[in-house]
Amino acid sequence: MGQSANTYLTLLVLLLSLGCAQRSDTDRKRCGHCDLQLSCNCSYGGFIHVPLVPERALSLDLSFNNITEVWADDLSSHMSLRALSLHGNRLAVIHLSAFDSLWSLEKLDLSDNRLTDINHKWFTKLGALQQLNLLDNPYSCLGSPPAFQSLVRLRRLDFGGPALVELRRGDLSGVTELEELTIHANNLERYESGALAAMWPLGRVTLRLHEPFLNNTALASAVLADVSYPNTPLVLEDLHLVGNESLQPFKETAKRRIRSSLTLRNLNMSDEAVVDLLVVIDGVPLTFISIEDLTLTGEGRWERASWTDHRGIDEFFLQNLVVLDVFKFVSLLQHRFLLHYPRKVSVIHSQVFVIPCPTAHLLVNMQYLDLSNNLLTDLTVTEMLCNGDGTQKDLRVLNISGNILKSVSTINRLVAKLSKLTHLDISRNGYSSMPQDCSWPRTLRYLNMSGAKLTTITSCLPHNSGGKSVRSEQQWSQKLLSVPTFSESAPRMSETLPCFFQSNTLNMFGNSDLQSYRRLQSLQVGQNKFVCSCDFVDFLQSAFKGAGDVHITDRTESYICDSPLYLQGEPVGQVSLSIVECHQVLFVSVICGVALCVALLLCILLWRLHAFWYLKMTWAWIKAKTGAEALLSFDAFVSYSERDASWVENFLVPELEEPRENAEDSSNPRSPRSLTLCLHKRDFLPGYWIMDNIMSAMERSRRTIFILSQNFVESDWCRYELDFSHFWLFDGNAGGEAAILILLEPLSKDDIPKRFCKLRKLMSSTTYLEWPQEEERSGEFWKNLREALRMEDD
Ligand SMILES: *[C@@H]1O[C@H](CO)[C@@H](O)[C@H](O)[C@H]1NC(C)=O
Ligand SMILES: *[C@@H]1O[C@H](CO)[C@@H](O)[C@H](O)[C@H]1NC(C)=O
Ligand SMILES: *[C@@H]1O[C@H](CO)[C@@H](O)[C@H](O)[C@H]1NC(C)=O
Ligand SMILES: *[C@@H]1O[C@H](CO)[C@@H](O)[C@H](O)[C@H]1NC(C)=O
Ligand SMILES: *[C@@H]1O[C@H](CO)[C@@H](O)[C@H](O)[C@H]1NC(C)=O
Ligand SMILES: *[C@@H]1O[C@H](CO)[C@@H](O)[C@H](O)[C@H]1NC(C)=O
Ligand SMILES: *[C@@H]1O[C@H](CO)[C@@H](O)[C@H](O)[C@H]1NC(C)=O
């Protein structure tokens, strides 16, 4: 019985939870932007409800959506969530138990929403919470009971906003040991003294107290009194310090002997306020003053404070200064009392265009000078560094990055005598070239020349003085004089000096340079226009992998190929070049070798096949054909082997050229008339190429008589003549009977070797005359021959 009730209960719970899940699931969209670290970034997703994300998510960024409400079960399954951001939504309602299951939550950001009150119940289960941001919500007070009481591990708390008007004692009870406290209370009207006092120890405190500083200095004083401790850095923002009253709250700070640092951010100051501030902090052991986003309305007339003592100030940091009346601004020469002590001075992005040498002389303790992002030129830097006379003898770090300097050699000359200089940052200036040789201080360990327009690196690079003997130094100098190339200078480059040349137009790394780069230990040359040669790619890729001695210390993604064109935009680390590109010489040699071999083989083959002869013959034939129409001056050209010459001379020539007078039938109109024969021995023009002779002989003869015998078959020339007649035979006007074959000895087609296929073909297509072995039948033979020769005469 009890068991079945239990089952029912379980079922009911299951159904209910299913019902709930369905209800919320239908409204709730899913956000799948989670990475492998289970961190889900659903920022800018247009969500109006908390979206569904995997339950195991460790961090969930829901910033910049349109979420108006967090329901009780929206986050109930996220027991392991560590960080949750709802920044920049329209959150007005948070259910009281909405965060109850977030036991592991360490960071919660609810800033920039529409929460009109803070409820302590939200935080009761957040025992692990370390950072809570409630800034810029329209609540006017923190409410009671104290909201943060259960946040025992809280280390960083940000609250307040334009609407915050009241802070009461006990509002922050339970909050101790904060590392960082930020309060935006520009419109604070009521402050119960001691409200912030219980939080000690307190790390950095950032306060915005615009209105209180303007017209309620008592309130501002009370606030400052509660948070000022000697070792607590104090940051004050949004101040309008003009009247002589406005500096009075600092008296409280001064009274507590604040020591670590005072930072003022986003403020206006008049000369009067500056003087008052200097008076107020007279003798306070403050070591660091930082002022950012300052608008100075005065003219720099602060002499009235010249009796004050600020020898404690070690570091002075000024960024984004605007001087309204910059042309009326007086010289700082009277301000020895201010300039004498600091060792670190930064005046960044403040339109500084010159610091006169006499003023620079006052900065006697200065070891660190940062004038980055100003308007210094070669001329005014020369003035500032007193033309390189080494006045700032203690200077160790000089940062003139982001000015409008143009000459590396000027800078080099100016710092040459700064014998303690270790860091020189001259990046983001307008250099376009480097001098061939430079003498940097021997102490220099860091040189940043990134972001210029350098196209080459010369031996101007600094070298490491440590360890190298003077003698070897001189040797290198001499070598440098004679051959001032980059690779020659390599051994002068330090083995430990980091060099930074990012964002130039360098396209260096020629083959010869690489050897020298291999000696560098760390190198940053990203964002240049690299020529991705094989050596360069090979060198960098091995450096990326950590092989070799060089350590590329900037991001590998900043190495992008600029040329060759087909690699433009490719990250060097991912380029893979083919063998064709990388071993061009080898490749070309191999190709040429192969081509040569093939050509040679082809030649041999063609030679074996007598192709050249055919070619030459064709040429000769073409020449003969295109030349003037040859006159037919012979009846027949006789093609015969030398060994058959006796038969030709003794029988053929006399019989055909000198017909016998006493022919039997002289009355016969067809009586033999003398024929003219062309014999190569007799009629060939001496001095001509034999082929030309054969060619023209055949051209000028009506017929060609081939005297076939074993000898003929064995004589090559005869074969060629035959080959030619083959052309001739197919030449239109010659007809099929141009060739006459005479067999001197019985020769069957099969006796002729196969390679004389032309001859064999001719024998089967043309009737041939056989020289009779019996004397008495020769008359008939000659008659037949004459017939054949005369065939077309009629
Ligand atoms: C989430 O993405 C936005 C840009 O869409 C980015 O600004 C934000 O830093 C990212 N948040 C986290 C936690 O990475
Ligand atoms: C929030 O909603 C408003 C209007 O309802 C819209 O203009 C805005 O773009 C939305 N914001 C986001 C991040 O979706
Ligand atoms: C301070 O000035 C604001 C307006 O500038 C005014 O609303 C407020 O009442 C003043 N507070 C005091 C204490 O005078
Ligand atoms: C500084 O003064 C200008 C003009 O008087 C004013 O607009 C600006 O709000 C002031 N800044 C602060 C932080 O009070
Ligand atoms: C502020 O200046 C006025 C006159 O400009 C003077 O009467 C007053 O005493 C000064 N207050 C302080 C605290 O210096
Ligand atoms: C020089 O100043 C620039 C810009 O302010 C900064 O990025 C750089 O880190 C500084 N260099 C050194 C060596 O501090
Ligand atoms: C060198 O200077 C550039 C430009 O100011 C800067 O981005 C870079 O971080 C610097 N390099 C180092 C190693 O400080």
Side-chain angles (χ1 to χ4, degrees):
M1 180 66 201
Q3 219 179 17
S4 74
N6 255 351
T7 329
Y8 277 126
L9 212 73
T10 321
L11 251 170
L12 198 71
V13 168
L14 212 79
L15 276 174
L16 272 178
S17 64
L18 266 178
C20 285
Q22 259 170 10
R23 181 190 58 79
S24 51
D25 281 7
T26 44
D27 308 349
R28 288 171 66 187
K29 285 200 239 157
R30 192 165 282 280
C31 163
H33 301 279
C34 300
D35 61 16
L36 289 177
Q37 281 79 43
L38 291 171
S39 141
C40 300
N41 190 344
C42 310
S43 200
Y44 296 99
F47 298 108
I48 52 172
H49 297 289
V50 174
L52 290 164
V53 290
E55 288 182 5
R56 292 173 307 135
L58 293 182
S59 113
L60 176 55
D61 186 351
L62 292 171
S63 57
F64 303 104
N65 284 296
N66 273 339
I67 300 168
T68 50
E69 197 164 346
V70 182
W71 294 91
D73 52 357
D74 274 352
L75 297 159
S76 55
S77 53
H78 294 288
M79 258 95 78
S80 46
L81 199 64
R82 301 257 170 81
L84 172 64
S85 170
L86 283 157
H87 172 84
N89 280 279
R90 301 188 191 175
L91 213 52
V93 178
I94 296 177
H95 195 275
L96 292 185
S97 58
F99 301 143
D100 276 4
S101 54
L102 305 180
W103 304 318
S104 318
L105 198 67
E106 291 170 359
K107 274 170 87 171
L108 176 60
D109 188 347
L110 296 171
S111 59
D112 200 5
N113 275 297
R114 299 187 181 170
L115 300 170
T116 49
D117 53 4
I118 306 291
N119 198 308
H120 73 284
K121 289 204 177 123
W122 296 338
F123 308 123
T124 47
K125 300 279 169 59
L126 300 182
L129 199 70
Q130 295 176 14
Q131 298 185 15
L132 176 61
N133 189 343
L134 293 167
L135 284 174
D136 298 326
N137 277 288
Y139 49 83
S140 57
C141 61
L142 289 179
S144 60
F148 313 122
Q149 208 140 28
S150 45
L151 303 177
V152 288
R153 313 219 12 209
L154 199 64
R155 293 293 167 268
R156 178 170 176 170
L157 175 62
D158 302 350
F159 70 91
L164 187 71
V165 291
E166 185 172 24
L167 274 179
R168 284 190 308 262
R169 205 175 294 167
D171 275 356
L172 290 148
S173 74
V175 181
T176 55
E177 287 190 53
L178 276 194
E179 279 159 16
E180 206 159 336
L181 173 67
T182 303
I183 306 175
H184 289 183
N186 275 339
N187 297 313
L188 197 65
E189 285 167 13
R190 294 179 295 279
Y191 180 78
E192 226 174 335
S193 196
L196 297 172
M199 272 180 289
W200 191 85
L202 193 53
R204 169 181 297 263
V205 176
T206 304
L207 299 173
R208 287 193 184 170
L209 292 167
H210 186 262
E211 290 300 323
F213 264 88
L214 266 184
N215 63 3
N216 197 347
T217 49
L219 190 153
S221 299
V223 175
L224 286 188
D226 283 350
V227 295
S228 296
Y229 300 100
N231 290 319
T232 298
L234 183 61
V235 182
L236 290 164
E237 299 180 337
D238 296 355
L239 299 180
H240 189 71
L241 305 176
V242 278
N244 59 1
E245 272 293 309
S246 57
L247 271 300
Q248 301 316 308
F250 285 107
K251 277 192 178 154
E252 292 301 326
T253 305
K255 245 192 257 170
R256 313 275 151 145
R257 314 272 311 158
I258 173 174
R259 205 177 326 134
S260 64
S261 82
L262 174 65
T263 302
L264 305 177
R265 200 176 283 147
N266 185 27
L267 73 164
N268 293 330
M269 277 183 110
S270 62
D271 276 347
E272 200 179 9
V274 173
V275 170
D276 283 353
L277 181 65
L278 291 172
V279 170
V280 166
I281 62 169
D282 168 40
V284 173
L286 193 62
T287 54
F288 176 32
I289 292 189
S290 162
I291 302 178
E292 293 164 40
D293 307 322
L294 166 66
T295 305
L296 208 54
T297 53
E299 298 170 5
R301 303 192 181 279
W302 310 328
E303 299 87 346
R304 281 195 298 118
S306 59
W307 53 271
T308 53
D309 170 17
H310 302 286
R311 70 184 63 208
I313 295 177
D314 191 50
E315 181 173 355
F316 179 73
F317 181 93
L318 181 63
Q319 188 166 24
N320 299 341
L321 165 72
V322 177
V323 178
L324 283 187
D325 225 340
V326 71
F327 295 111
K328 287 200 194 138
F329 206 75
V330 297
S331 153
L332 293 178
L333 263 181
Q334 334 298 329
H335 303 101
R336 176 183 295 265
F337 70 101
L338 280 181
L339 305 178
H340 221 69
Y341 303 106
R343 284 187 300 156
K344 272 183 92 168
V345 176
S346 305
V347 182
I348 300 170
H349 197 261
S350 297
Q351 293 166 311
V352 176
F353 54 89
V354 65
I355 295 179
C357 175
T359 306
H361 266 294
L362 296 177
L363 293 157
V364 286
N365 272 324
M366 192 172 56
Q367 294 180 4
Y368 178 107
L369 180 61
D370 185 345
L371 288 171
S372 53
N373 300 339
N374 282 299
L375 301 172
L376 297 172
T377 62
D378 288 333
L379 196 70
T380 58
V381 165
T382 308
E383 171 65 21
M384 180 179 87
L385 295 174
C386 302
N387 203 17
D389 68 357
T391 305
Q392 293 87 354
K393 58 186 188 327
D394 282 333
L395 199 60
R396 280 147 220 238
V397 179
L398 178 60
N399 189 347
I400 38 180
S401 162
N403 281 282
I404 39 183
L405 308 175
K406 290 216 160 53
S407 158
V408 177
S409 53
T410 303
I411 293 299
N412 178 246
R413 182 172 58 81
L414 294 176
V415 302
K417 286 197 188 146
L418 299 177
S419 57
K420 289 183 180 166
L421 196 69
T422 57
H423 286 58
L424 180 60
D425 191 339
I426 48 175
S427 58
R428 294 184 297 120
N429 276 290
Y431 316 116
S432 53
S433 67
M434 254 186 180
Q436 282 305 336
D437 204 358
C438 301
S439 57
W440 300 102
R442 297 167 66 92
T443 44
L444 196 64
R445 286 194 295 105
Y446 169 103
L447 174 65
N448 193 339
M449 273 199 227
S450 308
K453 300 185 189 90
L454 296 173
T455 51
T456 52
I457 291 181
T458 67
S459 50
C460 174
L461 279 188
H463 57 283
N464 196 10
S465 54
K468 282 233 158 41
S469 72
V470 175
R471 206 175 53 114
S472 73
E473 197 83 28
Q474 276 172 350
Q475 276 175 353
W476 286 116
S477 304
Q478 277 164 11
K479 266 202 169 172
L480 278 170
L481 281 178
S482 53
V483 199
T485 68
F486 183 56
S487 43
E488 281 296 326
S489 73
R492 294 189 64 209
M493 295 192 316
S494 89
E495 271 116 57
T496 53
L497 175 71
C499 286
F500 308 108
F501 293 97
Q502 300 109 313
S503 313
N504 277 293
T505 37
L506 292 180
N507 45 20
M508 49 186 186
F509 289 109
N511 289 352
S512 58
D513 301 341
L514 289 175
Q515 213 45 47
S516 43
Y517 278 104
R518 290 186 207 278
R519 302 178 61 98
L520 284 174
Q521 270 198 349
S522 72
L523 189 63
Q524 297 193 354
V525 272
Q527 287 153 23
N528 276 298
K529 298 195 167 175
F530 291 113
V531 177
C532 283
S533 67
C534 294
D535 283 324
F536 172 63
V537 169
D538 185 43
F539 163 72
L540 264 193
Q541 286 182 348
S542 70
F544 288 160
K545 285 193 200 114
D549 300 331
V550 188
H551 297 289
I552 303 283
T553 47
D554 51 350
R555 298 182 315 127
T556 55
E557 302 91 83
S558 57
Y559 290 79
I560 305 286
C561 297
D562 188 59
S563 66
L565 210 56
Y566 66 95
L567 287 177
Q568 204 170 44
E570 295 266 333
V572 179
Q574 287 163 26
V575 164
S576 61
L577 291 162
S578 63
I579 299 172
V580 182
E581 290 149 320
C582 290
H583 302 283
Q584 239 162 25
V585 172
L586 187 70
F587 186 72
V588 169
S589 332
V590 167
I591 289 287
C592 284
V594 168
L596 219 69
C597 282
V598 167
L600 209 68
L601 280 175
L602 201 68
C603 284
I604 292 173
L605 195 71
L606 290 177
W607 177 73
R608 294 284 301 176
L609 295 175
H610 308 283
F612 296 111
W613 184 86
Y614 284 111
L615 271 177
K616 263 163 130 183
M617 200 173 66
T618 311
W619 172 239
W621 179 71
I622 289 171
K623 231 166 50 182
K625 287 303 287 182
T626 54
E629 194 64 30
L631 286 169
L632 286 175
S633 39
F634 298 104
D635 287 310
F637 168 65
V638 186
S639 171
Y640 60 98
S641 165
E642 203 54 51
R643 295 196 214 139
D644 298 325
S646 61
W647 183 84
V648 171
E649 282 159 24
N650 297 336
F651 291 92
L652 187 73
V653 174
E655 184 61 35
L656 295 183
E657 292 200 333
E658 304 147 20
R660 277 163 285 170
E661 300 300 326
N662 57 341
E664 302 99 78
D665 40 0
S666 51
S667 58
N668 192 341
R670 283 180 156 288
S671 66
R673 83 173 162 79
S674 72
L675 298 166
T676 47
L677 297 179
C678 175
L679 302 184
H680 68 258
K681 251 188 190 167
R682 191 181 66 194
D683 302 307
F684 278 12
L685 292 169
Y688 282 80
W689 184 45
I690 181 130
M691 281 322 300
D692 279 342
N693 264 323
I694 293 177
M695 221 53 80
S696 77
M698 284 185 164
E699 276 286 305
R700 285 156 61 210
S701 308
R702 207 171 274 127
R703 300 270 199 284
T704 302
I705 301 174
F706 292 98
I707 313 295
L708 298 185
S709 67
Q710 208 59 51
N711 296 330
F712 184 91
V713 170
E714 281 157 21
S715 151
D716 263 4
W717 282 119
C718 295
R719 195 186 125 225
Y720 297 149
E721 287 161 32
L722 199 68
D723 284 333
F724 176 68
S725 82
H726 184 74
F727 278 109
W728 186 240
L729 285 176
F730 291 99
D731 199 4
N733 54 22
E737 291 84 24
I740 295 168
L741 302 185
I742 295 176
L743 262 60
L744 271 195
E745 48 203 30
L747 202 65
S748 103
K749 207 178 88 182
D750 299 329
D751 294 338
I752 301 169
K754 284 225 165 59
R755 58 195 178 104
F756 298 134
C757 56
K758 295 264 169 58
L759 184 57
R760 288 163 68 114
K761 217 151 96 195
L762 208 61
M763 277 182 75
S764 55
S765 67
T766 312
T767 48
Y768 43 85
L769 303 170
E770 249 177 292
W771 175 244
Q773 302 301 313
E774 307 88 39
E775 183 77 46
E776 56 273 23
R777 289 182 55 203
S778 65
E780 189 187 346
F781 169 82
W782 292 123
K783 193 168 150 252
N784 286 342
L785 183 57
R786 276 179 207 278
E787 295 266 286
L789 284 170
R790 284 232 188 83
M791 197 104 77
E792 266 169 52
D793 288 3
D794 314 319

